[in-house]
Amino acid sequence: MADTAPLARRRPRRRARRVVALLYIAPAALVYVAFAIWPAIHTVYLSFLDWDGILPATSAGFSNYTDVFTDPTLGPALWHAIVLIVFFAVIPCALGLLMTALLQGNVRGMTAFRVIFFLPQVLPLVAVGITWRWLYNDDGLVNQGLRWIGLGGVTRAWLGDYNLALVALGLIGTWAMSGLCMVLFLAGAQKIDVALYEAVALDGGGPVRRFFAVTLPALRGEITIASVITTIAALASFDLVFVTTNGGPVDRTTVPGLLVYRLAFNESDIGRASALAVVLTLIVIVFVTAIRTLTREKA
Amino acid sequence: MRTRSLAAVAAAMVVALSACAESGGTEPAKPSDVSKDLTTENITLTLAYTDDPPTQALIDAFHALHPNITIKGQQTPFSDYVKSIKLSMAADTPPDIAEYNPGAMRSLVPAGLIYDLTPYEKLYGWGEAFPASSLEVLRSNQAAKEYGTGGLYAVPGALSVLGVYYNKSMVTAAGIADTPSTLADFEQDVAAVKKGGKAPLSLGGLQVGGFQLWNAFTNALGDESQYRNWVYGKPGSTIQTDAAKQAAQKVIDWVNAGYIPASANATADSDAQANFTNGKSAYLVTGNWAASAIEKAMGDNVGFFLLPQATAGDSVVASGASVAYSISSKTKHPNEAAAFLDFMRDAKAATVQFDTGFMPVNNETAVQATGVRADIAADFKKVVADNGIVPFPDFASPNMIDRLTSGVQGLLSKKTTPDAFLTSLQESWTEYHG
């Protein structure tokens, strides 16, 4: 406080304005602190406790963290989440860019396309998961389709397959996330100056050149946002996994979020669950920072 | 400046948080002033539960006998119930009675939040009135680490048992005349169905159906007291037994023989049940809790038997559980709550329990039944008389259900050996029971 005092004395009016401004911010800030900041800090606090949710908690020091890092189930779960990034983030962004390149300009039925591709985004992931569980079923739509095109030999209960369950799960994410990426990119592409495309055309550049020279660089911001959102969705995935495979078969589709849930609700180990949640948050921050650094514009 | 004040806020929060250290005693609670005399005033009790049937019907039947005691039921779907019941029982105004779930409510025992009902057990003579195995599973020591011994923390309101449903016309078409009397007989029957080109078994490997099959095999092959001690957490127990290993190997053998569908690992329990009722398989291993739904779908075309033992003539062993009720140690009306628990052995309650698809707690009561429920009632009587009801294996430790589910998925996909499966179960057991 000491360093602001002389400043305030010199400009009392400014200070009053500041108080008013703070009052405006206060309601939103209070809600944010109560429902986002406070629980986050509370989680960190809980991660240093040994607590089953009922009996008095005792201090656990760093033991929850050492448990988390020595738990043999964490490694595979983390690896699965990283594989999911390919399906939740990389493929959807690539598809989104492709669709943007194809749909750019005045294509007929553009709005219809956009609505159709964005539709998965407005459905709750739990409903998406249950629907896909049926589609992937032994005699679900996916296998019916495969039989119809003569691929009856490869049909199987996809989500129960030891080697392919994770891929099958990932493709649900691809289906759900691609629309989001496409809508973001299409919106971004609309603000590109048409003169730039004309310039490329004058230089004799075709559609491919136009895409790489103009569209792609102009969408840098949108690509960053899309990859951050989808990467977080992959690393922190829980609901989709919970309703489709619940980590199975044989823990081949476990993700860190599912392990947090099991620790907290099945095993009543709130401390370890919190420690794992904190670690997961740090991992998400590392990935997001990496993406932002990679896509940052050169100064 | 900004960072400094943020740090101050954070520090203040942590201090505030550590001040709100969680409350709760560490002594088991026992009711005092136990009496059979009930109030004549109008009172209202609340009862939190998840299983309906039979709960609401039992509440109504009790209210008919005691019009001045109103019980207000609060139903929660199962997956939400196991998550929330512990917290609502720890609240300042918990429900007076709560349906007992060992996994979710175990920690309420050492915290003294549910009553040790031993005084009422003596007062009402419950030890005589209820099947011994149905009370045994609800007993726990003070630390809630060993079960089947110690205080009584709940009373059963309806009983269930794991067995085999069969599609009568499919079985007859395969040339099978009788229900099997040994495990080998049953395997022959299954082989006959397979030979006839039909699917023998529906199995929900995605959820609990998978490990229930292994569980049924284990009960058929091995020593029940060894298994029971293990589930109860008796020091020195192990699941790495010959029977459990043979049972796991049998699951693999059945996959190899094509008795178990390749899609089992992606099949939920409800889907497996639907496959069976739609005539896509001849057999389904599940409990009598599904009886009313299966009977509704299949009518007279369905029968039930308990998985037979390896040797003919051995007394039958089957996993079973109960819908049971506990009393909050914070209730203002413990005697009236206990009267509701005592009502569970009443003949009127028995009718409700049986009509809603469960087995009556008081198996002395004569119940009129036809069809599949007559099969269940007859077999259940036998297994209770032999004291052959054993607890389900997921009861053994908090994360056992995850180990069981993924372990049997490994057997079903032939990626896990029986030894590795049992080692993983034992590891979870040792972690909890030490």
Side-chain angles (χ1 to χ4, degrees):
Chain A
M1 287 298 139
D3 44 348
T4 56
L7 203 87
R9 214 179 302 129
R10 253 178 287 143
R11 298 181 191 138
R13 253 182 146 184
R14 195 168 189 187
R15 187 181 173 176
R17 260 176 33 205
R18 244 177 128 177
V19 170
V20 173
L22 281 175
L23 278 176
Y24 275 115
I25 298 170
L30 275 179
V31 170
Y32 188 67
V33 166
F35 293 103
I37 309 279
W38 176 272
I41 294 172
H42 197 182
T43 305
V44 176
Y45 165 70
L46 289 174
S47 72
F48 291 103
L49 293 183
D50 194 2
W51 189 39
D52 68 353
I54 295 290
L55 288 172
T58 52
S59 175
F62 283 91
S63 71
N64 287 325
Y65 287 92
T66 45
D67 282 351
V68 162
F69 285 110
T70 52
D71 184 353
T73 56
L74 179 67
L78 208 56
W79 169 245
H80 299 153
I82 290 169
V83 172
L84 287 185
I85 293 180
V86 174
F87 290 96
F88 279 52
V90 178
I91 300 179
C93 282
L95 277 177
L97 285 172
L98 182 70
M99 293 308 286
T100 309
L102 294 176
L103 292 176
Q104 214 178 359
N106 283 325
V107 180
R108 277 173 64 91
M110 174 81 151
T111 320
F113 271 120
R114 267 196 295 215
V115 170
I116 290 167
F117 281 106
F118 196 66
L119 213 57
Q121 202 58 43
V122 300
L123 295 171
L125 270 182
V126 171
V128 169
I130 291 172
T131 313
W132 275 88
R133 215 171 76 193
W134 290 330
L135 293 177
Y136 273 137
N137 219 341
D138 214 11
D139 37 38
L141 212 58
V142 171
N143 285 331
Q144 281 175 28
L146 287 171
R147 277 183 205 116
W148 190 68
I149 58 169
L151 286 175
V154 302
T155 58
R156 66 197 69 201
W158 297 93
L159 290 170
D161 188 273
Y162 187 79
N163 293 313
L164 293 170
L166 188 62
V167 174
L169 185 68
L171 287 173
I172 306 176
T174 306
W175 180 81
M177 293 296 167
S178 296
L180 172 80
C181 294
M182 190 198 68
V183 168
L184 272 173
F185 298 158
L186 277 176
Q190 275 172 354
K191 63 170 204 262
I192 300 174
D193 192 348
V194 189
L196 291 171
Y197 290 120
E198 282 167 7
V200 176
L202 283 177
D203 286 345
V208 176
R209 181 85 186 279
R210 233 169 38 202
F211 178 75
F212 282 103
V214 181
T215 316
L216 199 57
L219 289 179
R220 189 189 290 271
E222 284 77 8
I223 293 171
T224 311
I225 291 173
S227 17
V228 165
I229 294 177
T230 51
T231 303
I232 293 176
L235 287 172
S237 58
F238 166 73
D239 33 14
L240 194 61
V241 181
F242 186 66
V243 297
T244 51
T245 62
N246 196 14
V250 211
D251 293 341
R252 295 283 285 178
T253 59
T254 49
V255 286
L258 190 71
L259 298 183
V260 172
Y261 170 86
R262 285 181 180 174
L263 282 171
F265 292 110
N266 286 3
E267 303 181 35
S268 294
D269 196 339
I270 309 291
R272 249 167 86 186
S274 302
L276 181 53
V278 169
V279 170
L280 179 58
T281 309
L282 294 178
I283 291 170
V284 169
I285 291 172
V286 166
F287 270 85
V288 168
T289 313
I291 291 170
R292 292 185 58 100
T293 315
L294 281 173
T295 56
R296 186 179 295 153
E297 241 167 314
K298 287 180 199 92
Chain B
M1 157 70 201
R2 208 197 312 154
T3 29
R4 210 193 306 154
S5 55
L6 251 182
V9 169
M13 278 176 172
V14 171
V15 171
L17 278 167
S18 29
C20 69
E22 327 298 337
S23 62
T26 46
E27 279 297 300
K30 272 193 187 168
S32 51
D33 300 329
V34 296
S35 165
K36 286 185 186 179
D37 297 330
L38 305 183
T39 178
T40 49
E41 288 167 40
N42 283 329
I43 61 160
T44 302
L45 300 174
T46 49
L47 191 162
Y49 67 97
T50 181
D51 280 314
D52 193 48
T55 306
Q56 191 56 49
L58 288 168
I59 290 175
D60 294 342
F62 180 75
H63 186 61
L65 281 183
H66 302 275
N68 67 316
I69 303 174
T70 307
I71 297 182
K72 218 170 70 189
Q74 302 167 334
Q75 192 186 11
T76 317
F78 180 76
S79 55
D80 298 326
Y81 187 80
V82 293
K83 273 170 247 165
S84 62
I85 188 60
K86 198 169 67 176
L87 292 175
S88 40
M89 292 305 278
D92 286 338
T93 51
D96 300 282
I97 307 172
E99 184 180 335
Y100 184 64
N101 178 283
M105 291 162 73
R106 211 163 255 167
S107 50
L108 298 174
V109 170
L113 291 166
I114 52 176
Y115 271 140
D116 173 358
L117 300 167
T118 313
Y120 287 113
E121 183 188 3
K122 289 198 184 108
L123 179 74
Y124 281 111
W126 286 340
E128 320 282 290
F130 293 92
S133 60
S134 73
L135 289 185
E136 188 183 85
V137 68
L138 302 169
R139 294 184 202 279
S140 166
N141 69 352
Q142 295 191 359
K145 293 272 181 180
E146 199 183 329
Y147 326 112
T149 172
L152 180 70
Y153 289 92
V155 161
L159 304 179
S160 58
V161 66
L162 186 70
V164 185
Y165 290 86
Y166 62 98
N167 181 316
K168 283 184 178 166
S169 57
M170 283 179 84
V171 166
T172 313
I176 300 157
D178 283 318
T179 54
S181 52
T182 64
L183 187 58
D185 281 354
F186 182 47
E187 285 198 82
Q188 276 174 16
D189 293 353
V190 165
V193 172
K194 174 75 187 167
K195 214 172 166 193
K198 302 281 185 192
L201 203 69
S202 291
L203 191 70
L206 181 65
Q207 292 165 337
V208 301
F211 76 74
Q212 284 177 345
L213 178 68
W214 167 78
N215 183 207
F217 283 154
T218 307
N219 289 335
L221 289 163
D223 175 31
E224 78 216 56
S225 60
Q226 217 171 15
Y227 168 80
R228 204 183 257 144
N229 287 342
W230 179 74
V231 179
Y232 285 159
K234 199 166 192 173
S237 301
T238 179
I239 194 64
Q240 289 163 298
T241 61
D242 287 344
K245 198 173 156 182
Q246 282 169 26
Q249 185 58 47
K250 200 163 280 300
V251 172
I252 298 175
D253 293 346
W254 279 36
V255 173
N256 287 333
Y259 301 160
I260 295 173
S263 59
N265 275 343
T267 308
D269 290 320
S270 55
D271 296 336
Q273 191 176 318
N275 284 342
F276 173 71
T277 55
N278 291 333
K280 285 186 191 161
S281 76
Y283 297 101
L284 175 73
V285 176
T286 189
N288 62 323
W289 52 82
S292 47
I294 290 177
E295 194 174 27
K296 209 170 172 183
M298 300 177 72
D300 290 339
N301 193 27
V302 60
F304 179 92
F305 57 85
L306 297 173
L307 191 73
Q309 295 292 295
T311 317
D314 274 6
S315 56
V316 182
V317 178
S319 282
S322 58
V323 175
Y325 305 99
S326 297
I327 300 179
S328 164
S329 58
K330 291 178 182 166
T331 180
K332 289 194 180 70
H333 307 285
N335 288 331
E336 287 72 20
F340 176 72
L341 267 49
D342 182 57
F343 171 68
M344 295 305 140
R345 58 169 172 154
D346 193 281
K348 286 200 179 71
T351 313
V352 171
Q353 289 151 1
F354 193 71
D355 287 349
T356 50
F358 287 85
M359 285 298 118
V361 176
N362 182 347
N363 66 337
E364 299 300 307
T365 336
V367 279
Q368 296 298 315
T370 52
V372 69
R373 272 193 276 157
D375 291 357
I376 298 172
D379 275 11
F380 187 73
K381 226 175 177 122
K382 268 186 271 170
V383 69
V384 168
D386 291 347
N387 202 17
I389 295 278
V390 291
F392 283 99
D394 51 316
F395 192 93
S397 70
N399 69 350
M400 193 60 78
I401 192 163
D402 295 326
R403 296 287 178 104
L404 284 162
T405 310
S406 82
V408 172
Q409 286 171 349
L411 300 176
L412 291 171
S413 52
K414 292 182 275 180
K415 298 287 179 186
T416 308
T417 62
D419 279 325
F421 167 59
L422 298 177
T423 306
S424 144
L425 299 187
Q426 191 59 25
E427 197 180 81
S428 160
W429 190 95
T430 310
E431 199 181 309
Y432 187 72
H433 298 286

